[in-house]
């Protein structure tokens, strides 16, 4: 700073000397009397000299006071710690910069601090406690003492470098799995298997090698991957393009093989990473495969991909094993409580009734929680109509009544759901020691319960289908009435949109077994018929539809409360329109909640879009509920997620090409 003062001083004196000579030359040329002007110039020089000395003394006193405030050895200490100080006045003009900046040729004294560093605006205003700023290849962490016009700059360049190096070198454990490999190669000859291996396994190995991943084959279809965080981030940026390539090559070979991957990160405990990666791969498989599931220890699970519908992979052997396991759990229990999801539908209650009849075979007391959590309108009418036929065979109770029956040896069976927050028996589940799950929805990351048995088959059309498959493996004493079989068939009918979606050979086999038990399809149609008021609401939904883009329709119904079942039916109805591949219906379902029901013909993966908005479901059917929101807010958010989904799908298509 003193150097700058000296520089300014000599510039001023140079001007005074120049002024002196100009006056002398003027007097010489024009023979004029210039004594008085010369005296003025000399006095001017004396005054300037005097003022500059005063300013220099004041500056030295200021710097001396700063040194006294910080200590006599502040310079060495602050330079050693690479700490800089910037002071500013009430007008945010910099008045002082410490020696760290002088040594680094940074001088902004007299400049406004926010013009130089706009990043510190939040820091100065108190909206944040610190800021990171990069200056001339150095990174500083800037802090401010409360109520003081002083900023402290700490050089953290080295710490940042080593911090990034540590993060980048953290261990990541992964698993690569070729889905459906065993089923696809089981009956193929040796040459065909060799072709499959060459077309599908070789690209996986080459892909891993190109990124520097250590890959070890565990069996014919699964690999162990060892990599670091830096490589993992490169895979994320690459959008795991190997999945699209495997999908494309499998399509050429006409085999239903896809690639699933799992990655566990964020821990130095190798055993924990290994166990987590196995759990994540199981989660990917239960969600239908063809996706990447990752988790950083201590954070939520993330999903990538999942653009293919789940294939039927459950075998008769697996069904028999599950039936026998459930039978053993029932036999070792004192009683059974069955809970469904809130706003129970035909599939939920149909599956619950089927399980209750199975329990009755083993002479165990059983009840179904139905009087808590709500029931869809059509189902409520059906149960009321068949009240007499069901009252001596099925015991419907409230959650409080079920709590009175809960004991340490009670088995609680969750049907058609596996989320604690969605259950109509949440308190029962929180207190239960023995829990089993039977569901057909894609599995979420956190069950929030500790089940003894998990039977989640996302390829199944409905939970009623899964329960129906147990029938051949249960005692001949199984007694399902025509009404009960009809309700189960109604559940399958609703969940398959009248057998138009999510139907495989197993679906028709299950429907056939229910038909043999007396299920009446005419009564199913009668139960599912719309009332005049319901038809009006569906017409309202249709009239609010707008084609957003690429065959995707958004129906936003404002200022009217519509039941969840009706917005789902409205979305189903939209799919009957030509060239509509996906439909999203948004409406208020009560005073507090706004919901979206999403349906697709399989061209658009509505599950991915809904999961991005904290919802969930299947590839062809998904939904969400949002508290304290409104229709327009959800519509705007949905539009953005659709755009992101289509952009990512376009990128995948480019990769496949």
């Amino acid at each position: 700073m003193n150097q700058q003062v000296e520089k300014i001083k000599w510039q001023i004196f140079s001007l005074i000397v120049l002024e002196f000579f100009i006056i002398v030359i003027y007097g010489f040329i024009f023979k004029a009397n210039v004594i008085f002007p010369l005296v003025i110039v000399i006095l001017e020089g004396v005054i300037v000299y005097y003022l500059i000395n005063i300013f220099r003394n004041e500056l030295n006193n200021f710097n001396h006071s700063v040194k006294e405030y910080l200590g006599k050895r502040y310079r060495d200490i602050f330079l050693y710690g690479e700490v800089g100080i910037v002071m500013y006045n009430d007008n945010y003009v910099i008045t002082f910069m410490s020696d760290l900046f002088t040594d680094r040729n940074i001088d902004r004294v007299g400049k406004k601090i926010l013009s130089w560093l706009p990043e510190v605006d939040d820091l100065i205003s108190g909206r944040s406690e610190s800021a990171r700023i990069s200056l001339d290849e150095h990174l500083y962490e800037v802090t401010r003492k409360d109520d003081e016009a002083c900023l402290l700059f700490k050089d953290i360049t080295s710490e940042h470098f080593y911090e990034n190096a540590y993060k980048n070198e953290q261990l990541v454990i992964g698993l690569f799995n070729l889905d459906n490999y065993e089923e696809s190669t089981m009956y193929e000859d040796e040459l065909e298997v060799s072709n499959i291996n060459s077309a599908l396994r070789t690209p996986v190995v080459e892909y891993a090698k190109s990124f520097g991943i250590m890959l070890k084959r565990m069996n014919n279809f699964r690999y162990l991957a060892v990599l670091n965080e830096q490589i993992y981030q490169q895979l994320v940026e690459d959008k795991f393009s190997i999945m699209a390539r495997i999908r494309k090559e499998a399509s050429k070979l006409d085999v239903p093989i896809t690639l699933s991957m799992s990655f566990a990160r964020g821990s130095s405990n190798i055993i924990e990473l290994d166990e987590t990666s196995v759990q994540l791969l199981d989660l990917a498989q239960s969600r239908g495969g063809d996706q990447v599931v990752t988790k950083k220890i201590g954070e939520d699970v993330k999903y990538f991909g999942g653009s293919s519908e789940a294939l039927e992979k459950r075998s008769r052997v697996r069904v028999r094993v599950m039936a026998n396991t459930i039978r053993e759990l029932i036999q070792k229990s004192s009683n059974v409580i069955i809970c469904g999801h809130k706003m129970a539908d035909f599939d939920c209650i149909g599956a619950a009734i089927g399980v209750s009849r199975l329990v009755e075979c083993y002479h165990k007391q059983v009840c179904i929680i139905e009087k808590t959590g709500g029931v869809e309108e059509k189902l409520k009418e059906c149960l009321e109509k068949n009240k007499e036929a069901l009252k001596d065979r099925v015991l419907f109770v409230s959650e409080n009544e079920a709590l009175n029956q809960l004991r340490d040896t009670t088995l609680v069976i969750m049907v058609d759901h596996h989320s604690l927050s969605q259950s109509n028996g949440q308190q029962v589940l929180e207190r239960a020691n023995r829990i089993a799950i039977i569901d057909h929805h894609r599995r979420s990351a956190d069950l929030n319960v500790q089940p003894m048995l998990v039977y989640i088959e996302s390829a199944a059309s409905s939970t009623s289908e899964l329960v129906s498959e147990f029938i051949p493996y249960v005692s001949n004493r199984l007694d399902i009435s025509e009404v009960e079989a009809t309700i189960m068939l109604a559940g399958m009918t609703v969940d398959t949109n009248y057998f138009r979606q999510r139907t495989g050979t197993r679906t028709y086999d299950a429907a056939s077994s229910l038909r043999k038990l007396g299920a009446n399809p005419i009564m199913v149609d009668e139960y599912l018929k719309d009332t005049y008021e319901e038809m009006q609401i569906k017409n309202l939904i249709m009239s609010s539809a707008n084609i957003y883009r690429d065959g995707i329709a958004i129906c936003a119904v404002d200022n009217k409360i519509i039941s969840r079942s009706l917005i789902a039916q409205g979305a189903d109805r939209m799919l009957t329109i030509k060239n509509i591949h996906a439909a999203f219906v948004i409406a208020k379902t009560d005073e507090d909640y706004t919901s979206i029901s999403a349906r697709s013909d399989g061209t658009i993966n509505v599950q991915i879009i809904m999961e991005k908005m904290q919802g969930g479901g299947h590839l062809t059917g998904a939904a969400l509920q949002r508290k304290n929101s409104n229709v327009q807010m959800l519509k705007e958010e949905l539009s953005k997620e659709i755009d992101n989904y289509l952009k990512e799908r376009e990128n995948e298509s480019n990769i496949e090409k």
Side-chain angles (χ1 to χ4, degrees):
M1 187 66 185
N2 284 324
Q3 292 177 352
Q4 289 180 326
V5 173
E6 287 294 323
K7 183 178 179 181
I8 293 171
K9 181 184 76 173
W10 288 114
Q11 287 175 345
I12 294 174
F13 277 122
S14 297
L15 290 173
I16 292 173
V17 171
L18 178 62
E19 184 181 358
F20 180 86
F21 280 110
I22 290 173
I23 292 173
V24 171
I25 293 171
Y26 176 84
F28 179 77
I29 294 174
F30 295 99
K31 308 298 183 180
N33 186 359
V34 294
I35 296 176
F36 182 73
L38 289 175
V39 171
I40 295 298
V41 170
I42 294 171
L43 288 174
E44 181 182 319
V46 173
I47 292 171
V48 168
Y49 180 80
Y50 176 73
L51 291 176
I52 288 177
N53 281 336
I54 291 175
F55 178 74
R56 185 191 292 114
N57 291 332
E58 290 294 327
L59 179 63
N60 289 333
N61 290 334
F62 172 77
N63 288 336
H64 180 72
S65 65
V66 171
K67 293 179 182 179
E68 289 294 328
Y69 175 74
L70 297 175
K72 293 182 179 180
R73 303 191 63 183
Y74 86 98
R75 185 181 188 280
D76 293 338
I77 295 172
F78 274 67
L79 288 179
Y80 180 79
E82 295 186 296
V83 175
I85 300 174
V86 172
M87 293 183 176
Y88 53 91
N89 60 23
D90 292 340
N91 295 320
Y92 302 105
V93 175
I94 299 173
T95 58
F96 171 76
M97 298 183 73
S98 66
D99 295 316
L100 179 72
F101 298 104
T102 303
D103 290 355
R104 295 179 179 181
N105 297 318
I106 299 175
D107 186 0
R108 294 293 187 276
V109 173
K111 304 291 185 182
K112 290 215 169 188
I113 189 166
L114 293 180
S115 299
W116 176 43
L117 299 174
E119 302 97 323
V120 301
D121 185 20
D122 288 344
L123 184 62
I124 291 175
S125 61
R127 291 192 295 267
S128 65
E129 296 181 355
S130 65
R132 285 195 172 189
I133 296 174
S134 180
L135 293 173
D136 298 339
E137 299 182 355
H138 288 271
L139 183 67
Y140 299 89
E141 184 170 32
V142 186
T143 56
R144 172 177 175 264
K145 293 193 68 176
D146 294 340
D147 302 324
E148 290 191 24
C150 174
L151 297 181
L152 298 179
F153 287 67
K154 174 69 175 73
D155 191 325
I156 58 170
T157 308
S158 298
E159 292 90 332
H160 182 67
F161 172 79
Y162 290 115
E163 179 184 351
N164 284 339
Y166 171 73
K167 289 180 179 178
N168 290 336
E169 294 303 320
Q170 279 197 314
L171 182 66
V172 178
I173 298 293
L175 289 171
F176 291 24
N177 191 87
L178 292 170
D179 310 319
N180 310 313
Y181 179 90
E182 286 184 304
E183 295 87 342
S184 300
T185 59
M186 187 178 299
Y187 302 109
E188 300 291 348
D189 57 36
E190 187 175 337
L191 178 60
E192 187 63 27
V193 172
S194 177
N195 290 335
I196 292 174
N197 290 340
S198 177
L200 302 182
R201 285 185 0 196
T202 302
V204 172
V205 175
E206 291 176 349
Y207 180 80
K209 186 177 180 180
S210 67
F211 282 92
I213 301 172
M214 188 196 81
L215 204 65
K216 293 297 180 183
R217 196 172 81 187
M218 301 173 66
N219 52 40
N220 288 334
F221 54 87
R222 184 169 296 183
Y223 296 83
L224 172 67
V226 180
L227 57 155
N228 60 30
E229 182 69 19
Q230 184 176 18
I231 296 174
Y232 169 78
Q233 294 300 333
Q234 292 172 1
L235 294 177
V236 173
E237 292 176 7
D238 180 64
K239 299 184 183 299
F240 303 97
S241 61
I242 186 62
M243 288 198 303
R245 182 176 177 185
I246 294 300
R247 198 181 308 122
K248 179 181 178 181
E249 295 298 328
S251 178
K252 291 179 181 178
L253 296 172
D254 195 25
V255 292
I257 297 177
T258 56
L259 179 66
S260 290
M261 294 182 280
S262 66
F263 295 94
R265 31 194 287 269
S267 174
S268 58
N269 189 326
I270 298 177
I271 295 177
E272 182 181 19
L273 292 177
D274 179 56
E275 292 175 349
T276 303
S277 67
V278 173
Q279 294 169 4
L280 294 175
L281 186 62
D282 289 341
L283 179 57
Q285 297 280 287
S286 66
R287 289 167 54 87
D290 189 27
Q291 57 193 282
V292 180
V293 182
T294 76
K295 181 175 182 179
K296 187 173 184 179
I297 304 301
E299 296 182 3
D300 294 334
V301 174
K302 293 183 180 179
Y303 304 98
F304 300 87
S307 58
S308 300
E309 181 63 290
L311 300 174
E312 285 189 355
K313 292 181 284 187
R314 64 190 189 283
S315 64
R316 297 290 182 186
V317 174
R318 176 167 166 77
V319 174
R320 186 178 69 248
V321 170
M322 285 296 168
N324 291 337
T325 304
I326 291 173
R327 180 186 64 200
E328 291 175 3
L329 289 175
I330 293 170
Q331 290 176 330
K332 293 179 181 179
S333 301
S334 59
N335 63 312
V336 176
I337 298 173
I338 303 170
C339 57
H341 55 72
K342 296 173 183 176
M343 291 306 297
D345 54 16
F346 275 98
D347 185 40
C348 178
I349 296 301
I353 289 174
V355 173
S356 72
R357 303 315 301 159
L358 189 152
V359 175
E360 288 281 355
C361 289
Y362 304 107
H363 308 292
K364 300 292 183 179
Q365 182 183 355
V366 58
C367 65
I368 301 173
I369 300 177
E370 179 266 343
K371 296 180 181 180
T372 302
V375 176
E376 290 187 352
E377 195 62 34
K378 286 185 173 64
L379 175 60
K380 185 184 294 185
E381 293 177 3
C382 170
L383 295 177
E384 185 63 30
K385 183 176 181 179
N386 296 287
K387 186 176 182 179
E388 291 298 320
L390 294 172
K391 71 175 184 178
D392 295 329
R393 297 176 58 84
V394 181
L395 178 60
F396 291 124
V397 299
S398 67
E399 184 176 24
N400 286 333
E401 291 173 325
L403 283 169
N404 292 331
Q405 300 183 31
L406 184 64
R407 297 188 283 274
D408 291 340
T409 54
T410 300
L411 175 65
V412 180
I413 302 178
M414 302 170 67
V415 295
D416 202 35
H417 73 296
H418 57 271
S419 171
L420 187 64
S421 61
Q422 295 176 352
S423 182
N424 64 8
Q426 183 171 347
Q427 295 182 58
V428 174
L429 290 167
E430 288 174 343
R431 302 180 190 183
N433 294 326
R434 298 161 58 81
I435 299 173
I437 297 174
I438 305 174
D439 190 17
H440 75 113
H441 295 98
R442 282 196 172 186
R443 180 173 172 176
S444 58
D446 194 354
L447 298 178
N448 293 320
V449 293
Q450 297 294 327
M452 302 175 70
L453 171 70
V454 177
Y455 186 38
I456 298 177
E457 288 290 345
S458 57
S461 70
S462 58
T463 310
S464 292
E465 175 185 331
L466 296 176
V467 175
S468 298
E469 288 189 325
F470 292 155
I471 293 174
Y473 306 105
V474 181
S475 168
N476 293 330
R477 298 190 302 272
L478 182 64
D479 176 23
I480 296 180
S481 69
E482 293 181 4
V483 171
E484 293 161 348
T486 301
I487 294 174
M488 294 179 69
L489 182 61
M492 293 179 61
T493 304
V494 170
D495 277 25
T496 59
N497 195 13
Y498 289 86
F499 293 92
R500 289 196 292 263
Q501 295 175 336
R502 298 182 56 76
T503 53
T505 57
R506 306 291 285 274
T507 307
Y508 291 105
D509 288 343
S512 176
S513 67
L514 292 175
R515 188 73 178 90
K516 290 177 183 178
L517 291 169
N520 188 340
I522 296 176
M523 290 306 301
V524 169
D525 187 60
E526 186 67 26
Y527 295 152
L528 300 179
K529 278 184 178 179
D530 291 330
T531 64
Y532 181 74
E533 290 76 13
E534 289 172 338
M535 185 61 67
Q536 283 185 315
I537 292 175
K538 288 184 180 180
N539 288 336
L540 175 63
I541 292 173
M542 298 285 285
S543 64
S544 68
N546 287 301
I547 305 302
Y548 180 64
R549 53 178 294 191
D550 299 348
I552 299 175
I554 298 178
C555 310
V557 184
D558 218 337
N559 302 321
K560 188 172 183 63
I561 294 177
I562 304 175
S563 68
R564 288 169 55 192
S565 61
L566 279 179
I567 67 172
Q569 292 170 38
D572 284 329
R573 188 173 177 184
M574 286 296 301
L575 289 183
T576 62
I577 301 174
K578 191 173 183 179
N579 296 326
I580 296 294
H581 302 299
F584 298 85
V585 179
I586 313 171
K588 296 282 288 185
T589 49
D590 59 37
E591 292 296 336
D592 297 326
Y593 285 90
T594 305
S595 301
I596 299 179
S597 185
R599 294 292 184 269
S600 165
D601 61 2
T603 306
I604 305 293
N605 191 332
V606 294
Q607 180 211 2
I608 290 179
I609 298 173
M610 289 294 94
E611 282 189 336
K612 293 290 186 181
M613 298 176 65
Q614 309 307 313
H618 293 288
L619 183 146
T620 56
L624 74 81
Q625 298 178 71
R626 184 77 60 79
K627 192 173 183 179
N628 299 326
S629 185
N630 60 56
V631 172
Q632 288 305 315
M633 288 173 60
L634 282 185
K635 183 179 179 181
E636 293 176 6
E637 185 179 347
L638 173 64
S639 300
K640 292 178 182 178
E641 292 302 339
I642 291 174
D643 291 341
N644 292 336
Y645 169 80
L646 293 176
K647 184 178 180 180
E648 290 181 6
R649 193 174 69 161
E650 183 180 354
N651 292 335
E652 283 191 7
S653 299
N654 293 334
I655 291 171
E656 291 182 0
K657 292 176 182 179

